[in-house]
Coordinates of all heavy atoms in Angstrom, one line a residue:
Chain B
E222 N -2.9 4.4 23.5 CA -4.1 5.2 23.9 C -5.0 4.2 24.7 O -4.9 3.0 24.5 CB -4.9 5.7 22.7 CG -4.2 6.8 21.9 CD -4.2 8.1 22.7 OE1 -5.1 8.2 23.5 OE2 -3.3 8.9 22.4
V223 N -5.9 4.8 25.4 CA -6.9 4.0 26.1 C -7.9 3.6 25.0 O -8.3 4.5 24.2 CB -7.6 4.7 27.2 CG1 -8.6 3.8 27.9 CG2 -6.5 5.2 28.2
T224 N -8.3 2.3 25.0 CA -9.2 1.9 23.9 C -10.6 2.5 24.1 O -11.1 2.7 25.3 CB -9.3 0.4 23.8 OG1 -10.0 0.0 22.7 CG2 -9.8 -0.2 25.1
I225 N -11.3 2.8 23.0 CA -12.6 3.4 23.1 C -13.6 2.4 22.9 O -13.6 1.6 21.9 CB -12.7 4.5 22.0 CG1 -11.6 5.5 22.2 CG2 -14.1 5.2 22.1 CD1 -11.5 6.4 21.0
G226 N -14.6 2.3 23.8 CA -15.7 1.3 23.6 C -15.3 -0.1 23.8 O -14.2 -0.4 24.3
D227 N -16.2 -1.0 23.5 CA -16.0 -2.4 23.7 C -15.1 -3.0 22.6 O -15.1 -2.5 21.4 CB -17.3 -3.1 23.6 CG -17.2 -4.5 24.3 OD1 -16.1 -4.8 24.8 OD2 -18.2 -5.2 24.4
T228 N -14.3 -4.0 22.9 CA -13.4 -4.6 21.9 C -14.1 -5.7 21.1 O -13.6 -6.1 20.1 CB -12.1 -5.1 22.5 OG1 -12.5 -5.8 23.7 CG2 -11.2 -4.0 22.9
K229 N -15.1 -6.2 21.7 CA -15.9 -7.3 21.0 C -17.1 -6.6 20.4 O -18.0 -6.2 21.1 CB -16.2 -8.4 21.9 CG -15.0 -9.1 22.5 CD -15.0 -10.5 22.1 CE -13.8 -11.3 22.6 NZ -12.8 -10.7 23.4
F230 N -17.1 -6.5 19.1 CA -18.2 -5.7 18.5 C -18.8 -6.5 17.4 O -18.2 -7.5 16.8 CB -17.8 -4.4 18.0 CG -16.4 -4.4 17.3 CD1 -16.4 -4.8 16.0 CD2 -15.3 -4.1 18.0 CE1 -15.2 -4.8 15.3 CE2 -14.1 -4.2 17.3 CZ -14.0 -4.5 16.0
Y231 N -20.1 -6.2 17.0 CA -20.7 -6.9 15.9 C -20.2 -6.3 14.6 O -19.9 -5.2 14.5 CB -22.2 -6.6 16.0 CG -22.8 -7.3 17.2 CD1 -23.0 -6.7 18.4 CD2 -23.2 -8.6 17.1 CE1 -23.5 -7.3 19.5 CE2 -23.7 -9.3 18.2 CZ -23.9 -8.6 19.4 OH -24.4 -9.3 20.5
H232 N -20.1 -7.3 13.7 CA -19.4 -6.9 12.5 C -20.2 -6.8 11.3 O -21.3 -7.4 11.2 CB -18.4 -8.0 12.2 CG -17.1 -7.7 12.7 ND1 -16.1 -7.2 12.0 CD2 -16.6 -7.9 13.9 CE1 -15.1 -7.0 12.7 NE2 -15.3 -7.4 13.9
N233 N -19.6 -6.2 10.3 CA -20.2 -6.3 9.0 C -20.3 -7.7 8.5 O -19.4 -8.5 8.8 CB -19.3 -5.5 8.1 CG -20.0 -5.1 6.8 OD1 -20.8 -5.8 6.3 ND2 -19.7 -3.9 6.4
L234 N -21.3 -8.0 7.8 CA -21.5 -9.4 7.4 C -20.5 -9.9 6.4 O -20.4 -11.1 6.1 CB -22.9 -9.5 6.8 CG -23.6 -10.9 6.9 CD1 -23.8 -11.3 8.3 CD2 -25.0 -10.8 6.2
Q235 N -19.7 -9.0 5.8 CA -18.9 -9.2 4.7 C -17.9 -10.4 4.9 O -17.7 -11.2 4.0 CB -18.1 -8.0 4.4 CG -17.7 -7.9 3.0 CD -18.8 -8.2 2.1 OE1 -20.0 -7.9 2.3 NE2 -18.6 -9.0 1.0
Y236 N -17.4 -10.5 6.1 CA -16.5 -11.6 6.4 C -17.1 -13.0 6.2 O -16.5 -13.9 5.7 CB -16.0 -11.5 7.8 CG -15.2 -10.3 8.1 CD1 -15.8 -9.2 8.8 CD2 -13.9 -10.1 7.7 CE1 -15.1 -8.1 9.1 CE2 -13.2 -9.0 7.9 CZ -13.8 -8.0 8.6 OH -13.1 -6.8 8.9
Y237 N -18.4 -13.1 6.5 CA -19.0 -14.4 6.4 C -19.3 -14.8 5.0 O -19.3 -16.0 4.7 CB -20.3 -14.4 7.3 CG -20.0 -13.8 8.7 CD1 -20.6 -12.7 9.1 CD2 -19.0 -14.4 9.5 CE1 -20.3 -12.1 10.3 CE2 -18.7 -13.9 10.7 CZ -19.4 -12.7 11.1 OH -19.0 -12.2 12.3
M238 N -19.5 -13.8 4.2 CA -19.8 -14.1 2.8 C -18.6 -14.9 2.2 O -18.8 -15.9 1.5 CB -20.0 -12.9 1.9 CG -21.3 -12.1 2.3 SD -22.8 -13.1 2.3 CE -22.9 -13.3 0.5
Y239 N -17.4 -14.5 2.5 CA -16.3 -15.2 2.0 C -16.2 -16.6 2.5 O -15.9 -17.5 1.8 CB -15.0 -14.4 2.4 CG -14.7 -13.3 1.5 CD1 -15.2 -12.0 1.8 CD2 -14.1 -13.4 0.3 CE1 -15.0 -10.9 1.0 CE2 -13.9 -12.4 -0.6 CZ -14.3 -11.1 -0.2 OH -14.1 -10.1 -1.0
A240 N -16.6 -16.7 3.8 CA -16.5 -18.0 4.4 C -17.5 -19.0 3.7 O -17.2 -20.1 3.4 CB -16.8 -17.9 5.9
I241 N -18.7 -18.4 3.4 CA -19.7 -19.3 2.8 C -19.3 -19.7 1.4 O -19.3 -20.9 1.0 CB -21.1 -18.6 2.8 CG1 -21.6 -18.4 4.2 CG2 -22.1 -19.3 1.9 CD1 -22.7 -17.4 4.3
A242 N -18.8 -18.7 0.7 CA -18.4 -19.0 -0.7 C -17.2 -20.0 -0.7 O -17.2 -21.0 -1.5 CB -17.9 -17.8 -1.4
F243 N -16.4 -19.9 0.3 CA -15.2 -20.8 0.4 C -15.7 -22.2 0.7 O -15.3 -23.2 0.1 CB -14.3 -20.4 1.6 CG -13.4 -21.4 2.0 CD1 -12.3 -21.7 1.2 CD2 -13.5 -22.1 3.2 CE1 -11.4 -22.7 1.6 CE2 -12.6 -23.0 3.6 CZ -11.5 -23.3 2.8
L244 N -16.8 -22.3 1.6 CA -17.3 -23.6 1.9 C -17.8 -24.3 0.7 O -17.5 -25.5 0.5 CB -18.4 -23.4 3.0 CG -18.7 -24.6 3.9 CD1 -17.4 -24.8 4.7 CD2 -19.9 -24.3 4.7
I245 N -18.6 -23.6 -0.1 CA -19.1 -24.2 -1.3 C -18.0 -24.7 -2.2 O -18.1 -25.9 -2.6 CB -20.0 -23.1 -2.1 CG1 -21.2 -22.7 -1.3 CG2 -20.4 -23.7 -3.4 CD1 -21.8 -21.5 -1.8
F246 N -17.0 -23.9 -2.4 CA -16.0 -24.3 -3.4 C -15.1 -25.5 -2.8 O -14.6 -26.3 -3.5 CB -15.1 -23.2 -3.7 CG -15.7 -22.4 -4.9 CD1 -16.6 -21.4 -4.7 CD2 -15.3 -22.7 -6.2 CE1 -17.2 -20.7 -5.8 CE2 -15.9 -22.1 -7.3 CZ -16.8 -21.1 -7.0
D247 N -15.0 -25.4 -1.4 CA -14.2 -26.5 -0.8 C -14.9 -27.8 -1.0 O -14.2 -28.8 -1.3 CB -14.1 -26.2 0.7 CG -12.7 -26.5 1.2 OD1 -11.8 -26.5 0.4 OD2 -12.6 -26.8 2.4
V248 N -16.2 -27.9 -0.8 CA -16.9 -29.1 -1.0 C -16.8 -29.6 -2.4 O -16.6 -30.8 -2.7 CB -18.4 -28.9 -0.5 CG1 -19.2 -30.2 -0.9 CG2 -18.4 -28.7 0.9
E249 N -16.9 -28.6 -3.3 CA -16.8 -29.0 -4.7 C -15.4 -29.6 -5.0 O -15.3 -30.6 -5.7 CB -16.9 -27.7 -5.6 CG -16.7 -27.8 -7.0 CD -15.9 -26.7 -7.6 OE1 -15.8 -25.6 -6.9 OE2 -15.3 -26.8 -8.6
M250 N -14.4 -29.0 -4.4 CA -13.1 -29.6 -4.7 C -12.9 -31.0 -4.1 O -12.3 -31.8 -4.7 CB -12.0 -28.7 -4.1 CG -11.9 -27.4 -4.9 SD -10.7 -26.2 -4.2 CE -11.0 -26.3 -2.5
A251 N -13.6 -31.2 -3.0 CA -13.5 -32.5 -2.4 C -14.2 -33.5 -3.4 O -13.7 -34.7 -3.5 CB -14.2 -32.6 -1.1
F252 N -15.2 -33.1 -4.1 CA -15.8 -34.0 -5.1 C -14.9 -34.2 -6.3 O -14.9 -35.3 -6.9 CB -17.1 -33.3 -5.6 CG -18.3 -33.5 -4.7 CD1 -19.1 -32.5 -4.4 CD2 -18.5 -34.7 -4.1 CE1 -20.2 -32.6 -3.6 CE2 -19.5 -34.9 -3.2 CZ -20.4 -33.8 -3.0
M253 N -14.1 -33.2 -6.6 CA -13.3 -33.3 -7.8 C -12.1 -34.3 -7.7 O -11.6 -34.8 -8.6 CB -12.8 -31.9 -8.2 CG -13.8 -31.2 -9.0 SD -13.3 -29.5 -9.4 CE -12.6 -29.7 -11.0
Y254 N -11.6 -34.5 -6.4 CA -10.5 -35.3 -6.3 C -10.7 -36.7 -6.7 O -9.9 -37.3 -7.5 CB -9.9 -35.2 -4.8 CG -8.9 -34.1 -4.8 CD1 -9.2 -32.8 -4.5 CD2 -7.5 -34.4 -5.0 CE1 -8.2 -31.8 -4.5 CE2 -6.6 -33.4 -5.0 CZ -6.9 -32.1 -4.8 OH -6.0 -31.1 -4.8
P255 N -11.7 -37.4 -6.2 CA -11.9 -38.8 -6.6 C -12.1 -38.9 -8.1 O -11.6 -39.8 -8.8 CB -13.2 -39.2 -5.9 CG -13.6 -38.2 -5.0 CD -12.6 -37.0 -5.1
W256 N -12.8 -37.9 -8.6 CA -13.0 -37.8 -10.1 C -11.6 -37.8 -10.8 O -11.4 -38.5 -11.8 CB -13.8 -36.6 -10.4 CG -13.9 -36.2 -11.9 CD1 -14.6 -36.8 -12.8 CD2 -13.1 -35.2 -12.5 NE1 -14.4 -36.2 -14.0 CE2 -13.5 -35.2 -13.8 CE3 -12.3 -34.2 -12.0 CZ2 -13.0 -34.2 -14.7 CZ3 -11.8 -33.3 -12.9 CH2 -12.1 -33.3 -14.2

Side-chain angles (χ1 to χ4, degrees):
Chain B
E222 290 287 336
V223 183
T224 186
I225 305 167
D227 200 3
T228 44
K229 299 246 177 357
F230 41 85
Y231 291 92
H232 264 264
N233 199 321
L234 207 60
Q235 208 44 39
Y236 296 104
Y237 312 116
M238 294 307 289
Y239 280 94
I241 292 166
F243 166 71
L244 207 63
I245 294 165
F246 274 88
D247 219 25
V248 173
E249 173 222 341
M250 287 175 324
F252 281 135
M253 278 175 95
Y254 267 88
W256 166 79

